[in-house]
Amino acid sequence: MALKSFIEVGPDSHFPIQNLPFGIFKPEPTSPPRPGVAIGDYVLDLSTISVSGLFEGPFLSGSDCFLQPNLNKFLALGRPAWKEARTTLQNLLSADEAKLRDNPNLREKSLVPMSKVEMLLPIAIGDYTDFFSSMHHARNCGIMFRGPENAINPNWFQLPIAYHGRSSSIVVSGTDIIRPRGQGHPSGKSPPYFGPSRKLDFELEMAAVVGPGNELGKPVDVNEAGDHIFGLVLMNDWSARDIQAWEYVPLGPFLGKSFGTTISPWIVTLDALEPFACDAPKQDPQPLPYLAEKISKNYDISLEVQIKPAGQEDSCVVTRSNFNHLYWTVTQQLAHHTINGCNLRPGDLLGTGTISGPEPESYGCLLELTWNGQKSLSLNGTTRKFLEDGDEVVFSGCSKGDGYKVGFGTCSGKILPSP
Ligand SMILES: O=C(O)/C=C/C(=O)CC(=O)CC(=O)O
Ligand SMILES: [Ca+2]
Ligand SMILES: [Mg+2]
């Protein structure tokens, strides 16, 4: 029989006992941040569970990893500790376990209604890297920026391309994004224009959260890379297409990307996603041996983007995609990242790149959906080429199991005008 919690969880909830994603929250505005897991409409306070001595296994008993303001210390402990935490919490929350169920005092102290909490960034992010791993996205950008003849460069099929992003401007879902200012393309002989971006965009991505990491000079084997990934979050790599197009030749992304990146507050573990693992696309040409995986897997995670214009009641779905469209897997990305000896540290964030599918309805950014502003997208009676001030962009993602969902909740941000 399916695992069930004593806490009521509806069939459409993203957070049944099969999920148990980790985050950092404050129960009251003045209380210190602490780790929690989501269960139905509640957050279970792991600091309380830890202080009550309920983490009894060999890796977590006596550890102060759940008394920290971020998850980095827990992530550094690695997969055996993550599995122990998951087993302990699934047991504690299950319908036939009395320890928490029949202890009203402990329930009162440890279960906080989700509607009352403030969610914070779950990790201290030392380094952030953004990959470029959807072939459909790479092809569409290539056609627009470089022409159809050489839409995808030959190196793209040999290695997961990426650039180093900016970690200081990564914010948690719900944080407003201020429209960036910068230089845009000159037209004809005139100088470049300067001002608020005229082509502000979202990029539908997910990101892997790094666990133990590796020492400088010691690459991670691709077949062990899964042990270095704690879980996934939703990620919006906000992009100013006009700033980007003018500045990034020949060195790559800078101010067109670094003004803000939003992630969802809940990290869904790879253990929770395992039932939704699926074959990754066949790679042709065959990758070099250091990128060749014994088992090459993706996850079946449905993704959706909605835009809610200022002053409107309803939001409008603008695209539907799936994590399984990625050509390069997250484990290949991680192994490639370290192959030159580069070290990864607990809490580092690896963005997948924009996740576009093959059909126009599944493109992962407005650049593709409106073909760089050549056509308009209709949204409940109004239209968009790029984002306008007041637009709220909401990502959601979930995997559908038999009678339950394993979801990420939402990842949202509203555009404020340039100052
Ligand atoms: O192809 C280009 O020149 C530019 C592509 C991007 O802006 C994509 C990027 O940030 C990486 C990604 O999200 O896939
Ligand atoms: Ca990106
Ligand atoms: Mg960005």
Side-chain angles (χ1 to χ4, degrees), residues 130-134 137-138 141-142 145-146 163 203 205 237 239 241 244 248 253 257 352-355 367:
D130 192 21
F131 283 86
F132 184 43
S133 289
S134 147
H137 175 66
C141 291
F145 289 131
R146 292 172 286 279
Y163 69 96
E203 282 189 333
E205 302 200 23
D237 176 20
S239 299
R241 300 303 184 186
Q244 177 186 353
Y248 85 144
K257 299 279 188 180
T352 56
T354 308
I355 307 176
L367 176 76

Side-chain angles (χ1 to χ4, degrees), residues 13 29 34 73 85 90 171 203 249 307 323 333 337 346 366 415:
S13 171
R34 77 247 353 243
K73 195 162 182 182
Q90 275 190 333
V171 296
E203 282 189 333
V249 184
I307 297 181
F323 184 83
Q333 293 174 354
H337 202 309
L366 291 172
I415 306 302

Side-chain angles (χ1 to χ4, degrees), residues 44 59 69 92 196 207 413:
L44 180 70
F59 295 100
L92 196 62

Side-chain angles (χ1 to χ4, degrees), residues 210-360:
V210 173
N214 60 304
E215 262 175 69
L216 195 57
K218 300 209 170 134
V220 175
D221 185 285
V222 72
N223 291 307
E224 279 153 32
D227 286 341
H228 289 269
I229 299 174
F230 175 63
L232 302 178
V233 291
L234 299 170
M235 185 175 106
N236 184 346
D237 176 20
W238 303 97
S239 299
R241 300 303 184 186
D242 44 355
I243 299 174
Q244 177 186 353
W246 173 231
E247 76 175 358
Y248 85 144
V249 184
L251 275 187
F254 185 42
L255 302 183
K257 299 279 188 180
S258 61
F259 59 92
T261 306
T262 305
I263 62 171
S264 57
W266 295 110
I267 308 174
V268 176
T269 63
L270 289 197
D271 291 324
L273 290 168
E274 190 51 35
F276 309 99
C278 54
D279 290 338
K282 197 175 148 30
Q283 297 179 326
D284 181 21
Q286 276 226 321
L288 289 172
Y290 82 92
L291 288 171
E293 303 184 276
K294 290 196 188 107
I295 301 169
S296 195
K297 64 188 181 191
N298 263 344
Y299 299 93
D300 179 6
I301 306 169
S302 305
L303 302 168
E304 185 177 278
V305 181
Q306 306 201 14
I307 297 181
K308 187 168 173 288
Q312 285 204 13
E313 278 295 299
D314 298 318
S315 52
C316 202
V317 176
V318 294
T319 190
R320 290 194 176 91
S321 186
N322 195 300
F323 184 83
N324 67 18
H325 292 311
L326 291 176
Y327 181 90
W328 294 102
T329 65
V330 285
T331 38
Q332 289 176 317
Q333 293 174 354
L334 188 139
H336 181 69
H337 202 309
T338 67
I339 195 61
N340 66 344
C342 175
N343 54 332
L344 297 175
R345 295 176 295 184
D348 281 0
L349 195 71
L350 309 185
T352 56
T354 308
I355 307 176
S356 296
E359 310 87 11

Side-chain angles (χ1 to χ4, degrees), residues 21 26 36 66-67 76 118 124 172 176 196 200 240 249 268 280 319 346 372 411:
K26 287 200 224 175
F66 293 130
L67 307 178
E118 181 191 347
V172 73
D176 292 335
L200 185 54
V249 184
V268 176
T319 190
N372 199 9
C411 173

